[in-house]
Amino acid sequence: MRLRAIEPEDLDLLYQIENDQSLWQVGSTNVPYSRYTLHDYIATSSDDIYADRQVRLIVENDEQETVGIADLVQFSPQHMRAEVGIVILQQHRRSGYACAALQELCHYALHVVHLHQLYAIVDTHNEAALALFRKNGFSTENTLREWLLDGHEYHDAVLMQRFL
């Protein structure tokens, strides 16, 4: 498994993930993105976390097949922290890719970007994500009551943190 920069050829994947309404409840997006907007994002991204305040990376398996996306977003250079996001495509879940991607992302955050901490906001019902972050050294710090809206009801979330 490896992480690599987003290429123009990844537009369809980005379009698929960003417009998957089942993922909207775990993130901060609740509107569809057009191909034009995503094409423009890919074209204008500097791939510099300091300039863009985020970095999006493609997760590839050993056969160079794209299996998902890993993000560092909400980057704060003042506090040297960022929020982690990982989406593995449905057909590749439960194959260890999320764990490997998170480990690689933590290594990148520590050794390349020199971050002090990473955090994730996870729905308390998302057992797979909770287990993934715990397995990789993230601890549960606070419960955020009624933090996430799935379109019908509010869900509690937990703030998970890892110091690097």
Side-chain angles (χ1 to χ4, degrees):
M1 191 281 339
R2 75 180 187 115
L3 300 177
R4 65 163 176 82
I6 291 181
E7 299 288 349
E9 297 80 28
D10 298 314
L11 177 61
D12 288 339
L13 170 74
L14 198 57
Y15 184 80
Q16 174 189 350
I17 289 174
E18 292 294 348
N19 290 298
D20 182 347
Q21 291 184 16
S22 69
L23 299 173
W24 289 358
Q25 71 190 40
V26 297
S28 59
T29 300
N30 63 356
V31 295
Y33 283 94
S34 70
R35 285 186 186 280
Y36 177 82
T37 299
L38 295 171
H39 178 273
D40 190 51
Y41 166 76
I42 293 170
T44 60
S45 174
S46 69
D47 293 326
D48 177 355
I49 193 168
Y50 284 89
D52 298 337
R53 297 294 192 254
Q54 67 176 346
V55 63
R56 306 193 80 187
L57 302 164
I58 298 296
V59 181
E60 282 187 340
N61 63 17
D62 291 338
E63 291 78 36
Q64 296 183 335
E65 179 183 17
T66 300
V67 298
I69 294 180
D71 303 318
L72 292 176
V73 297
Q74 304 297 330
F75 168 61
S76 169
Q78 177 183 1
H79 302 293
M80 297 308 290
R81 68 174 172 244
E83 182 177 357
V84 175
I86 295 177
V87 175
I88 301 298
L89 297 172
Q90 184 68 39
Q91 65 270 30
H92 297 289
R93 292 182 186 161
R94 303 277 183 209
S95 299
Y97 294 123
C99 187
L102 183 54
Q103 289 169 0
E104 198 62 32
L105 202 56
C106 289
H107 183 270
Y108 172 80
L110 175 62
H111 296 288
V112 177
V113 187
H114 308 291
L115 295 184
H116 173 63
Q117 63 180 296
L118 295 175
Y119 69 94
I121 297 174
V122 182
D123 188 315
T124 56
H125 294 98
N126 190 341
E127 292 297 327
L130 293 168
L132 168 70
F133 284 105
R134 285 185 187 120
K135 180 178 179 178
N136 285 281
F138 285 73
S139 59
T140 302
E141 298 301 325
N142 292 308
T143 299
L144 306 167
R145 300 284 178 216
E146 298 184 6
W147 195 259
L148 302 170
L149 176 65
D150 68 7
H152 304 288
E153 62 182 314
Y154 286 93
H155 295 254
D156 291 350
V158 291
L159 172 65
M160 301 189 79
Q161 224 175 356
R162 176 176 168 183
F163 293 95
L164 301 172

